[in-house]
Amino acid sequence: MLLRIDHVGIACHNLSEKIEFYESVFGLTVVSREINEEQGVREAMLHVADGDQGASYVQLLEPLHPDTAVGKFLAKRGEGVHHVGYGVTDITKALAEISAKGVRLLDERARHGSMGASIAFLHPKDIGGVLTELVETSRH
Ligand code: MC0
């Protein structure tokens, strides 16, 4: 069901500073910067690698407001890994299969994600404390 790790989402206070850090330390390149109002984030995707099943990225996330998913996470836990995003072929089918196994879906239907992808989140409490995202993308 899971094709690859699409991205690791990392919460930060200052997106520009964190981009510079990842560029200078790891030599990564920003391939997309977006504001996603629905998710309450300003985010950047930095390309890590290409594979048979598609590319993988580091996603840096800065909250638009304190009262957002990432804003609350930062206040509670500080900067660090916020979620793991896995690539799937068919997000609607994957959500149905995962839900049938008793995992709570934070999104019953896919939403708009970075770089035109369809995304949906699974409850971290049902995945061993890891906020997990499914990503269906046409970018390969
Ligand atoms: C909260 N919890 C987490 C967590 N956030 N555990 C692991 N990883 C995280 N990121 C835990 C808390 O510690 C708490 O556990 C419990 O979940 C409830 O959290 P809360 O602080 O009371 O906050 P809630 O319940 O208001 O919201 C948490 C929840 C929410 C995960 C449901 O953040 C959510 O719906 N997230 C999905 C959307 C999202 O994260 N969007 C931003 C990225 P305890 O033990 O203290 O009860 S958008 C994105 O990434 C897009 C742009 C993309 O990829 O393209």
Side-chain angles (χ1 to χ4, degrees):
M1 180 193 294
L2 305 180
L3 297 175
R4 69 186 185 287
I5 293 177
D6 181 273
H7 66 268
V8 176
I10 296 172
C12 64
H13 291 292
N14 185 311
L15 184 61
S16 299
E17 279 180 20
K18 206 58 81 184
I19 287 172
E20 271 180 38
F21 177 84
Y22 273 80
E23 284 175 337
S24 68
V25 174
F26 299 115
L28 297 183
T29 304
V30 174
V31 292
S32 162
R33 274 184 89 142
E34 291 179 38
I35 289 175
N36 188 323
E37 296 278 355
E38 185 185 33
Q39 296 290 345
V41 294
R42 179 178 288 116
E43 52 96 1
M45 295 289 260
L46 291 86
H47 180 258
V48 176
D50 289 312
D52 291 348
Q53 302 295 334
S56 60
Y57 304 87
V58 169
Q59 182 184 53
L60 301 176
L61 300 155
E62 179 192 302
L64 292 176
H65 315 284
D67 191 21
T68 57
V70 176
K72 287 200 269 181
F73 178 91
L74 280 171
K76 210 167 178 176
R77 302 190 183 201
E79 293 187 321
V81 174
H82 178 259
H83 67 265
V84 177
Y86 294 102
V88 294
T89 311
D90 182 338
I91 197 165
T92 305
K93 187 162 169 270
L95 285 172
E97 287 175 14
I98 292 166
S99 175
K101 289 177 182 159
V103 171
R104 279 170 290 168
L105 310 180
L106 292 169
D107 301 299
E108 297 285 336
R109 282 177 288 113
R111 296 175 186 273
H112 166 71
S114 188
M115 299 198 284
S118 297
I119 62 166
F121 285 91
L122 311 177
H123 205 294
K125 290 288 171 195
D126 293 349
I127 317 275
V130 180
L131 177 59
T132 301
E133 178 184 345
L134 305 181
V135 182
E136 181 186 327
T137 173
S138 53
R139 58 185 144 91
H140 283 300

